[in-house]
Amino acid sequence: APAYNDADLLAVYPLADVHIGMMAWGRETGEDYDTRIAANRVREWVGRCIAASPAAETAVILDVGDLTHADDQMNQTPKSKHVLDVDTRHFRTLDITIATMTAAVDLALAKHKHVLVRILTGNHNPTSFMAVIFAVAAWYRDEPRVTVHKDPSEFFAMEWGNVMLAAHHGDKSKAERMVLFLADQYPEMWGRTRHRFLFTGHLHHHKSADIGGVQWEQLRAVTARDAYAVSHAYAARAQMQGITYHKERGEIQRVKVGL
C-alpha cells in the first residue's frame, strides 16, 4: 500500500463506452481502432489520470457500460440486431478485456489504499459484462485492498461523506427520470448528502446539466468512432477523466486525457 493517502478524498475513474473488440479502419473512419489499441488506450489513459490526481485513500474504477463491443460471437447488438464491425474472436476479446481491467486496478493500487471496482452493463454487452465482473473478482479474491461489486443492478450508487455518486449506462431512460428514480430508491442516501452526481454514457458525446439537486454528466466515450458513427455524421471526441471528491466539499479536481 502507498505510504500516504488523504482519507477525506475519493478518486473516481469512469470508463465510458470502451468497446474493446471493435474494428475501425482509419481510411474510412479517420482513426484505426482494434482490440489491442483499445486495451493500450485504457492502460495509458487510466495511468495518466491516476498520475495527475491527488493521493486519495479510496479510488473507484467505474465502467459505465459497453466495455466490450460485442456480447458474443454473433457480432450483433443483442436487442436491435445491429451488425457490428469486430476485430477478433469473442474469446480473445474477453481475455484481453479482463487483462485490461486488472491492469487498471493494479495502477490504482499503486497510488490508492483501497480500490472499488464496479462494472455496469451496456446495450452492447448485457451478458458478457458478467464474465468480466466474476473474473476480476476472482483475480483479487485474496487482496483485501480491492472490492469488486458483484451487483446485478444496472444502477451504481454510493455515498462518500456529503457526496452521492450514481451511474447508469444511459440507454433505457432520460436523465430527468433517472434523477427521480435515485431520489425514490435511495431516499436515505439522498437525504444525507448535498453534492450529488450522476454519470451516464451510451451516446458517446458530452452533455451535462443540473437536474433537481443532481449534476448529471453524459461522458465522452473512450472508443474511437466506427464506420456507423462516421456515416451518420457523429463527431464526438474520445476522452477519459479522473475526478476527485472531498467528503465535505464535493468535487475539488478534475483531470481530462485524450488524443
Side-chain angles (χ1 to χ4, degrees):
Y4 169 78
N5 287 125
D6 191 329
D8 288 332
L9 300 183
L10 174 74
V12 180
Y13 305 106
L15 290 163
D17 298 275
V18 181
H19 287 268
I20 299 175
M22 188 189 91
M23 169 63 77
W25 182 35
R27 283 183 59 187
E28 183 179 23
T29 64
E31 178 188 356
D32 288 329
Y33 197 75
D34 58 26
T35 305
R36 184 57 61 188
I37 292 171
N40 289 339
R41 180 175 294 187
V42 170
R43 289 185 177 94
E44 179 190 349
W45 288 10
V46 168
R48 288 167 61 187
C49 284
I50 290 171
S53 296
E57 183 173 272
T58 303
V60 180
I61 303 291
L62 175 61
D63 167 41
V64 189
D66 284 356
L67 181 60
T68 59
H69 191 51
D71 200 42
D72 52 34
Q73 202 61 47
M74 296 299 292
N75 300 332
Q76 297 177 334
T77 52
K79 185 176 181 180
S80 66
K81 306 303 179 183
H82 175 73
V83 177
L84 302 171
D85 294 330
V86 298
D87 167 43
T88 186
R89 307 293 289 177
H90 194 63
F91 188 102
R92 178 172 177 265
T93 297
L94 274 179
D95 186 29
I96 292 176
T97 300
I98 293 162
T100 301
M101 291 303 291
T102 55
V105 175
D106 286 346
L107 287 167
L109 281 171
K111 186 161 192 172
H112 306 289
K113 186 176 181 180
H114 303 293
V115 179
L116 186 153
V117 182
R118 183 61 189 272
I119 299 170
L120 296 177
T121 182
N123 60 302
H124 279 247
N125 64 340
T127 301
S128 63
F129 88 102
M130 291 184 280
V132 181
I133 292 174
F134 296 143
V136 175
W139 188 277
Y140 292 105
R141 65 185 180 274
D142 296 324
E143 175 50 81
R145 294 171 55 209
V146 177
T147 302
V148 180
H149 278 196
K150 292 194 287 186
D151 190 333
S153 172
E154 296 188 20
F155 276 89
F156 164 74
M158 72 169 289
E159 187 174 354
W160 181 259
N162 212 14
V163 177
M164 178 179 184
L165 295 172
H168 184 274
H169 184 55
D171 58 321
K172 295 181 177 178
S173 177
K174 299 291 186 183
E176 290 79 4
R177 184 173 179 178
M178 282 192 276
V179 167
L180 294 174
F181 179 84
L182 291 172
D184 178 71
Q185 294 296 304
Y186 306 98
E188 293 84 6
M189 188 186 303
W190 184 284
R192 288 191 296 264
T193 56
R194 179 173 179 81
H195 309 286
R196 307 182 192 98
F197 304 88
L198 169 64
F199 295 109
T200 61
H202 183 54
L203 295 180
H204 293 205
H205 60 273
H206 177 261
K207 281 186 177 181
S208 61
D210 291 313
I211 305 172
V214 175
Q215 180 181 307
W216 162 66
E217 183 170 359
Q218 180 178 280
L219 298 164
R220 292 184 185 270
V222 173
T223 184
R225 296 177 298 166
D226 62 3
Y228 178 87
V230 172
S231 68
H232 287 72
Y234 298 147
R237 302 293 191 268
Q239 187 182 75
M240 184 188 162
Q241 302 184 67
I243 309 165
T244 303
Y245 300 93
H246 187 276
K247 280 186 175 180
E248 298 300 325
R249 303 196 299 271
E251 181 181 332
I252 60 168
Q253 180 172 312
R254 185 175 291 235
V255 177
K256 297 181 180 181
V257 299
L259 297 174

